[in-house]
Amino acid sequence: MPVTDDDELRAILDHETVAVVGCSSTPGKDAHEIPRYLREHGYEVIPVNPHADEIFDREAADSLADVDEEIDIVDVFRPSDEVSGIIDAALDREDSPVIWTQLGIRDEEATDRAEADGRQVVEDRCMKVEHQRLC
């Protein structure tokens, strides 16, 4: 089952490095503003977007496989029908203990696979909202 407990969410929010899949270079979009908020609150944000060269003055990775840094949280800003492939990419990594899907984004089967692999999953929640509420 996805994480819903406030204490577990607080522990997850203590992580530092967030790979944002679907991070946008367009100010005003949630996929830009929420990662910007996370950066402003001390998180190391790694933008993952094959259609952007640079976001937040940082080179954007084309995929999770292209991220050299260790990832604590994979934050997903892509449609629900793309979650399965993103989770598979996260599971291919030794790191990324947490997969977080933003509001309205869920895939029960992919969540089950991630949890069976020992990953924590937060789904259908906004990381910014939860950070403001709990931290």
Side-chain angles (χ1 to χ4, degrees):
M1 285 201 60
V3 175
T4 58
D5 178 77
D6 284 351
D7 289 335
E8 285 183 76
L9 288 169
R10 273 189 202 91
I12 288 170
L13 291 167
D14 279 344
H15 288 293
E16 298 176 357
T17 305
V18 182
V20 180
V21 179
C23 190
S24 176
S25 59
T26 306
K29 285 189 164 187
D30 287 345
H32 180 86
E33 297 304 322
I34 292 165
R36 183 180 58 78
Y37 169 90
L38 294 173
R39 284 174 39 93
E40 291 170 355
H41 287 83
Y43 290 91
E44 178 72 21
V45 172
I46 302 167
V48 179
N49 182 333
H51 305 293
D53 293 327
E54 188 177 277
I55 303 172
F56 306 124
D57 297 322
R58 180 179 181 141
E59 183 178 346
D62 287 342
S63 69
L64 286 174
D66 295 321
V67 174
D68 293 329
E69 296 95 333
E70 189 165 311
I71 299 170
D72 297 322
I73 301 172
V74 174
D75 189 13
V76 181
F77 278 91
R78 299 298 304 149
S80 294
D81 63 353
E82 294 182 27
V83 169
S84 182
I86 295 165
I87 285 182
D88 288 343
L91 296 179
D92 285 342
R93 298 181 61 97
E94 295 292 321
D95 56 8
S96 64
V98 178
I99 299 163
W100 189 303
T101 65
Q102 288 291 325
L103 288 171
I105 304 170
R106 47 173 78 131
D107 180 327
E108 186 176 326
E109 182 182 314
T111 294
D112 290 346
R113 282 198 322 274
E115 291 174 336
D117 194 64
R119 314 298 172 104
Q120 288 182 293
V121 179
V122 179
E123 69 178 7
D124 193 21
R125 289 180 181 251
C126 177
M127 219 172 146
K128 175 183 175 182
V129 169
E130 296 303 320
H131 183 268
Q132 289 174 328
R133 184 174 74 84
L134 297 169
C135 297

